[in-house]
DNA sequence: ATTAGACCCTGATCGC
DNA sequence: TGCGATCAGGGTCTAA
């Protein structure tokens, strides 16, 4: 489901229900998601206070006052839904229990935060906060798109060594953390680059131009509350609306917004790439 | 080290 | 209405 903008949207949606609040009780309904859940997860969460909610790449990190952080990945179909709270005029509820509600956090004050994930490609783990950078899921991640370590020089150097298509290279989380299939397609369209082009053979100036484009696309998507395809929801159940701004993703045969040429869909690395054969070279 | 492909799992959709 | 094939925003692991 979620790429960086969706994860950031979910994180923001969880702040009010979780930050500064104690987890009164944690309900863990199965022993594993993608991987086994950590030993004693329910006991280690119960009674802990959430001090801060952060995001690294497509992971959400909930720092606890126990010295541990809860690491959450939503995979393809994971959701975090808040219920049992009133936000302004709206009372959020989530008729429980739903199929695939794997972990439920009962927060002090009555809010519930439910991790629901039909496909179970998602993950949860506990890590000592002061050693989180060494966690096996986080250690190999590339720079954050909005961080200082991600810049023109870095990207040009990193892509120079890549013979794979630019599409696949930008999806590699070791090279750059946070992009997924949707936003890579949209970025390459805005940059006018054919997704099949070998990364190493694209002129440095065109690679450099990707840096601000990547930030622009991600910023706009975050601003829109992410993209809601199929059943993705923000934490408050609202839908993001960036999908209405897609220029190529999921628009096979529809006219290119720039030139009218039908958008093409091809498979790369087992995923669909959408592009305009006229505008992207 | 890089790259392609299989694989993980459930659910929605489409053509017949 | 049913059935199989295909596809889906994630990532890991293996083999070459």
């Amino acid at each position: 489901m979620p790429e960086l903008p969706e994860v950031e949207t979910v994180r923001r949606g969880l702040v009010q229900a979780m930050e500064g609040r104690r987890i009164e009780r944690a309900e863990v309904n199965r022993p594993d998601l993608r991987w086994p859940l950590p030993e004693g997860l329910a006991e280690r969460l119960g009674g802990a206070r959430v001090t801060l909610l952060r995001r690294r790449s497509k992971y959400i990190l909930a720092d606890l006052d126990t010295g541990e952080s809860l690491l959450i990945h939503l995979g393809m179909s994971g959701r975090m839904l808040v219920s049992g709270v009133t936000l302004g005029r709206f009372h959020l509820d989530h008729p429980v229990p739903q199929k695939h509600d794997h972990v439920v956090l009962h927060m002090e004050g009555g809010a519930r935060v439910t991790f629901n994930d039909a496909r179970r490609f998602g993950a949860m783990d506990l890590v000592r906060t002061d050693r989180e950078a060494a966690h096996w899921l986080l250690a190999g991640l590339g720079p954050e798109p909005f961080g200082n370590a991600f810049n023109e020089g870095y990207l040009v150097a990193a892509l120079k060594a890549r013979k794979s298509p630019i599409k696949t290279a930008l999806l590699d989380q070791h090279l750059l953390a946070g992009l997924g299939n949707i936003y890579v397609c949209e970025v390459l369209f805005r940059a006018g680059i054919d997704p099949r082009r070998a990364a190493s053979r694209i002129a440095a100036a065109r690679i450099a131009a990707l840096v601000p484009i990547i930030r622009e696309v991600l910023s706009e998507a975050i601003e829109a509350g992410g993209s809601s395809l199929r059943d993705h929801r923000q934490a408050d159940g609202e839908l993001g609306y960036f999908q209405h701004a897609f220029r190529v993703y999921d628009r096979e045969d529809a006219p290119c917004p720039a030139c009218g040429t039908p958008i093409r869909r091809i498979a790369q690395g087992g995923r669909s790439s959408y592009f305009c054969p006229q505008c992207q070279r």
Side-chain angles (χ1 to χ4, degrees):
Chain A
M1 167 207 84
E3 305 181 34
L4 188 154
E6 289 74 35
V7 175
E8 177 59 22
T9 300
V10 168
R11 186 196 69 80
R12 292 180 184 185
L14 293 174
V15 167
Q16 179 172 344
M18 295 184 75
E19 227 172 55
R21 298 187 191 274
R22 215 169 58 87
I23 301 169
E24 279 183 351
R25 183 169 66 88
E27 195 184 315
V28 178
N29 296 324
R30 53 175 303 132
D32 59 348
L33 295 170
R34 172 162 191 172
W35 295 289
L37 290 165
E39 281 306 309
L41 176 63
E43 293 72 24
R44 288 156 78 184
L45 290 175
R49 185 176 300 278
V50 177
T51 56
L52 188 64
L53 280 174
R54 296 176 291 131
R55 179 191 58 74
R56 166 76 172 110
S57 184
K58 301 174 189 174
Y59 293 86
I60 291 172
L61 286 147
D63 292 346
L64 308 173
D65 63 358
T66 57
E68 293 190 301
S69 295
L70 176 63
L71 183 64
I72 303 165
H73 194 281
L74 301 175
M76 288 279 262
S77 54
R79 307 183 221 171
M80 295 287 282
L81 289 170
V82 175
S83 56
V85 295
T86 301
L87 289 177
R89 297 186 292 123
F90 301 100
H91 183 74
L92 304 179
D93 222 336
H94 178 57
V96 283
Q98 305 266 344
K99 205 173 176 184
H100 310 303
D101 280 355
H102 304 310
V103 176
V104 184
L105 305 178
H106 298 265
M107 307 301 297
E108 72 178 337
R112 289 188 306 279
V113 176
T114 301
F115 178 88
N116 179 291
D117 184 9
R119 296 177 73 181
R120 264 181 283 125
F121 289 171
M124 274 195 193
D125 200 4
L126 282 167
V127 58
R128 291 222 35 106
T129 307
D130 56 8
R131 279 187 270 139
E132 95 188 16
H135 189 279
W136 66 287
L137 288 170
L138 304 182
L141 291 176
E144 284 289 318
F146 294 109
N148 292 332
F150 178 62
N151 54 47
E152 284 79 359
Y154 169 79
L155 194 60
V156 169
L159 291 178
K160 195 153 54 184
R162 298 276 184 144
K163 289 182 188 158
S164 67
I166 183 71
K167 164 76 187 305
T168 345
L170 289 177
L171 273 179
D172 184 350
Q173 303 297 298
H174 301 283
L175 191 143
L176 175 64
L179 286 183
N181 205 35
I182 292 178
Y183 298 109
V184 168
C185 290
E186 295 297 312
V187 161
L188 290 176
F189 173 77
R190 294 195 192 192
I193 297 174
D194 187 316
R196 298 166 294 188
R197 288 282 301 274
S200 59
R201 301 190 54 205
I202 302 170
R206 303 184 73 202
I207 296 295
L210 280 170
V211 172
I213 292 174
I214 287 167
R215 290 182 172 147
E216 171 188 274
V217 169
L218 293 177
S219 300
E220 288 177 18
I222 291 170
E223 189 70 21
S227 305
S228 298
L229 295 182
R230 293 161 264 289
D231 58 357
H232 170 61
R233 294 300 169 90
Q234 299 179 25
D236 59 4
E238 287 297 300
L239 296 170
Y241 52 88
F242 191 75
Q243 67 277 11
H244 303 302
F246 290 169
R247 299 187 191 173
V248 289
Y249 183 81
D250 207 16
R251 296 193 64 241
E252 184 179 16
D253 294 334
C256 166
C259 74
T261 303
I263 299 300
R264 281 194 60 195
R265 176 168 76 107
I266 60 171
Q268 289 184 287
R271 326 192 91 97
S272 291
S273 294
Y274 298 85
F275 67 103
C276 171
Q278 179 68 31
C279 298
Q280 296 177 249
R281 302 292 180 150

